[in-house]
Amino acid sequence: MTTAGHGSAAIERRDERTTVAVENLTVRYGETAAVRNASLFLERGELVGLVGESGAGKSTLGLALVGLGGAASGSIRIGDTELIGADERTRRRIRRRRVGLAFQSADDALHPAYTLGEQIVESIDGTRRRWRRRHESRVNRLLEDVGLDPAFADRYPHECSGGQNQRALLAVALAGDPDVLVLDEPTSSLDAVTQAHVLETLERVMGERDLAVLLITHDLDVVEHCCDRTVVMREGELVDRGATDRLLSNPTHPYTSTLVDARRSTPRAVDGGTSSAPDADDAVVAELETVTKRYREGSFVAALLGREPTTDALVDASVAVREGECVALVGRSGAGKTTAARLIAGLEAPSAGSVRIRGEPVGPVAERRPAQRAAVGYVFQSPRSSLDPRRTVAESVAEPLEGAGWNPARRDRRVGELLEHVGLEGYGDRYPRELSGGEAQRIAVARALALEPDLLVLDEATSALDTVTTHRLCSLFERLGRRNGRSMLVVTHDFDIARRLADRTLVLADGRVVDEGPTSELLSEPTHAETRTLIDATLGGSSADSRTKTTADTRTHTTHATDESD
């Protein structure tokens, strides 16, 4: 359906199946052009991937398709409706009925004061009150479509894991029966099993509803697995496009080649998974000892009556990180990985068991001594949620230094060093709203390193990043691991990250540690059923071919599985 070419001026054929037509689109934020002269089209029944490094303008282009973002010029036609210059009523109608949008960060997009069911219904008819009378069966079906139990309709976002919230946001995007779906990194925070399920759901729903889908992603495995065409974006411009199999197997544009090469090169860890792993006698930096974490879910009245239901996020879990060691926690969404990390950092208190830093029992962060607080640096899963929108980048990075009593001159020098470490020199005066998702994540890394912690906790620290930036950050983490014997705890659903960084890997399921061992052995010869399931579910795993065959029947085009080398 397309003639490949380099640049936004490439010629594309369009017919009556064209649902979205973008021509010479430019989007500006003040004097900065985030998108320049972009042209593309989307047809019914096809899935188009939009790839590029963090900050390339992918999310800005996606927002423009629903009338959001910066000042736009050019042309965006949704069916017969011109979006550029349209009034707010028209844009709202497009967002509600024609184009469904799932944002990159579900934690930011979902309202904390409303249940998931209320937010799904709001996309159906604009009203949350008494929604069960009108749409209970439809809400239940949407939740099941994205792999969530209907009981999640009564949960609030803070009661769900990051992956569960991401799936709920996909249900919100589908709720209005749109003609077009714009999905901004919909699988970036999902484990391999859930990612495969969501992609299958996308393919099935697209085929059943004859949707046009724009999939914004940094994951070339996802693109190769399910996208008909792929468009490559760099520094606000569309520099390459074409059929996905051709574009990825035989890239001709230099920038596309850079992305593909970064994906193919997943080197073994410098510190992790090698014979140089820390000795069992090395000092333990941080540990959980038979820890259980229980959350209460009921109402105030239920609590008074002693009938309050509870959920165990962790059950008798023990995790230890030794001097100079990198440990990875892997598992499905909701398995308890982030809960374990937050307990070690003092952001949660255990219901039973103990948390120790350098052998000393510690409580929540407010009860820890300054040295104990400084011993753990934490990079959160959603960097935008952890950065104060009113503070500049320099002020955010300096925050722990200010709390530790550093004078202004010393703080400024340290902030400059940290920004250089993460490749963001000159960003000190920017605000979070001026950063891409990947840039915000790197700022979060810089802040976590401010006080030279003994243990760096990375909670899905690369999940929102493109392959080039991920490679750069992993190289940084490897250097940090070698220098000063810094330990790391890596929470991830990406086995390539675990393979590259971790000496040991622990597998969690339903709040329990079900498998553990040296990373190279655990991933190359898995023995536990849960470990095998997670590995087989990856797009480069042994189940990829069979999964593609299963979903191909629901599609009007060919899906390609991929075998990814180490």
Side-chain angles (χ1 to χ4, degrees):
M1 296 302 300
T2 182
T3 300
H6 300 159
S8 61
I11 299 173
E12 298 178 315
R13 291 188 295 162
R14 299 187 287 274
D15 57 26
E16 66 277 2
R17 292 185 61 78
T18 300
T19 305
V20 176
V22 178
E23 295 184 5
N24 300 320
L25 174 67
T26 295
V27 181
R28 293 183 177 275
Y29 293 94
E31 297 299 318
T32 302
V35 176
R36 293 190 296 275
N37 297 321
S39 298
L40 72 140
F41 74 97
L42 303 177
E43 291 186 345
R44 290 184 178 275
E46 77 165 350
L47 205 160
V48 176
L50 179 60
V51 302
E53 291 186 59
S54 301
K58 306 186 301 294
S59 295
T60 297
L61 194 156
L63 288 171
L65 296 185
V66 292
L68 298 174
S73 60
S75 174
I76 302 175
R77 295 193 68 85
I78 310 296
D80 295 328
T81 303
E82 174 61 53
L83 204 55
I84 302 297
D87 57 31
E88 181 57 31
R89 180 179 179 183
T90 300
R91 291 198 295 268
R92 283 200 302 268
R93 177 173 56 83
I94 290 293
R95 287 195 289 270
R96 180 164 293 175
R97 292 300 178 193
R98 301 298 301 279
V99 183
L101 173 64
F103 290 92
Q104 180 174 353
S105 174
D107 290 340
D108 294 338
L110 294 173
H111 198 298
Y114 300 120
T115 65
L116 300 184
E118 288 173 325
Q119 298 186 64
I120 293 172
V121 165
E122 190 172 19
S123 289
I124 297 175
D125 62 13
T127 304
R128 293 186 297 268
R129 294 183 60 190
R130 301 176 180 175
W131 64 269
R132 289 191 182 278
R133 296 183 182 182
R134 307 188 310 279
H135 301 299
E136 181 173 12
S137 62
R138 187 170 174 182
V139 169
N140 290 346
R141 185 170 65 252
L142 284 164
L143 289 170
E144 289 172 344
D145 280 346
V146 296
L148 293 176
D149 189 277
F152 274 77
D154 293 323
R155 291 197 183 188
Y156 292 88
H158 72 270
E159 297 175 315
C160 304
S161 69
Q164 289 164 347
N165 280 334
Q166 195 70 38
R167 283 179 278 170
L169 193 61
L170 179 57
V172 171
L174 290 169
D177 287 328
D179 301 319
V180 182
L181 274 181
V182 178
L183 306 176
D184 192 352
E185 300 285 2
T187 62
S188 64
S189 64
L190 304 182
D191 61 84
V193 174
T194 307
Q195 181 186 71
H197 180 85
V198 168
L199 292 177
E200 289 170 4
T201 299
L202 282 177
E203 293 168 331
R204 175 175 53 78
V205 170
M206 186 187 70
E208 292 172 352
R209 304 187 187 188
D210 203 25
L211 295 174
V213 180
L214 180 66
L215 178 62
I216 300 170
T217 182
H218 63 267
D219 192 334
L220 296 187
D221 286 334
V222 169
V223 167
E224 185 171 16
H225 179 75
C226 62
C227 290
D228 305 286
R229 293 186 291 119
T230 297
V231 180
V232 181
M233 195 166 194
R234 183 187 190 190
E235 296 179 350
E237 298 182 354
L238 304 183
V239 298
D240 203 2
R241 68 187 76 210
T244 299
D245 53 355
R246 180 206 59 81
L247 198 75
L248 299 185
S249 63
N250 187 28
T252 57
H253 192 280
Y255 181 66
T256 308
S257 298
T258 298
L259 293 178
V260 172
D261 290 344
R263 167 210 184 199
R264 290 171 177 166
S265 60
T266 309
R268 292 288 180 180
V270 175
D271 297 305
T274 70
S275 58
S276 61
D279 190 271
D281 293 330
D282 287 343
V284 174
V285 175
E287 66 178 319
L288 302 180
E289 187 175 7
T290 59
V291 165
T292 293
K293 177 59 181 178
R294 183 170 295 115
Y295 292 101
R296 301 188 183 277
E297 298 183 345
S299 65
F300 177 71
V301 174
L304 290 177
L305 296 175
R307 301 171 183 170
E308 191 175 20
T310 60
T311 296
D312 288 339
L314 279 182
V315 181
D316 294 331
S318 294
V319 178
V321 185
R322 299 183 181 278
E323 189 83 52
E325 182 184 35
C326 179
V327 174
L329 302 180
V330 302
R332 307 189 196 196
S333 301
K337 309 184 297 296
T338 293
T339 299
R342 289 174 64 85
L343 284 163
I344 285 177
L347 303 176
E348 303 274 1
S351 303
S354 62
V355 181
R356 298 176 183 272
I357 301 294
R358 294 288 185 184
E360 295 185 44
V362 293
V365 66
E367 301 174 7
R368 297 184 183 185
R369 300 193 307 272
Q372 293 172 334
R373 290 197 295 269
V376 181
Y378 199 104
V379 180
F380 292 89
Q381 184 173 353
S382 177
R384 291 193 186 279
S385 298
S386 66
L387 295 176
D388 190 332
R390 299 165 298 181
R391 288 177 175 261
T392 65
V393 163
E395 289 170 339
S396 290
V397 174
E399 190 173 2
L401 303 173
E402 185 177 2
W406 289 36
N407 64 55
R410 188 184 177 197
R411 288 201 305 265
D412 291 345
R413 288 195 300 271
R414 178 60 176 158
V415 168
E417 293 172 358
L418 290 164
L419 292 180
E420 183 178 357
H421 278 326
V422 297
L424 293 177
E425 304 95 324
Y427 275 62
D429 292 331
R430 299 194 185 188
Y431 287 88
R433 65 178 181 274
E434 300 174 304
L435 305 175
S436 71
E439 289 165 347
Q441 192 71 296
R442 283 183 275 169
I443 294 302
V445 171
R447 184 174 60 180
L449 293 172
L451 293 174
E452 292 283 2
D454 297 328
L455 174 66
L456 182 63
V457 179
L458 308 173
D459 189 354
E460 299 285 7
T462 62
S463 66
L465 304 181
D466 61 86
T467 53
V468 174
T469 308
T470 294
H471 179 79
R472 185 186 304 130
L473 264 182
C474 283
S475 297
L476 170 64
F477 297 149
E478 288 168 343
R479 292 196 302 272
L480 293 172
R482 290 197 303 274
R483 188 176 65 188
N484 300 330
R486 179 177 281 109
S487 306
M488 290 189 290
L489 180 65
V490 178
V491 175
T492 184
H493 62 266
D494 188 335
F495 282 104
D496 283 334
I497 298 298
R499 184 182 291 113
R500 177 169 180 175
L501 294 178
D503 302 300
R504 287 190 300 119
T505 294
L506 281 67
V507 181
L508 281 78
D510 297 325
R512 300 178 184 273
V513 177
V514 298
D515 201 4
E516 64 179 296
T519 301
S520 58
E521 296 177 14
L522 191 78
L523 299 185
S524 61
E525 299 179 1
T527 56
H528 193 279
E530 179 68 9
T531 309
R532 288 196 302 271
T533 297
L534 291 170
I535 293 175
D536 286 347
T538 60
L539 297 184
S542 61
S543 296
D545 293 332
S546 62
R547 191 171 55 252
T548 300
K549 183 178 184 299
T550 300
T551 60
D553 294 337
T554 69
R555 307 218 14 197
T556 58
H557 51 275
T558 303
T559 299
H560 301 278
T562 177
D563 295 320
E564 183 179 28
S565 62
D566 293 336

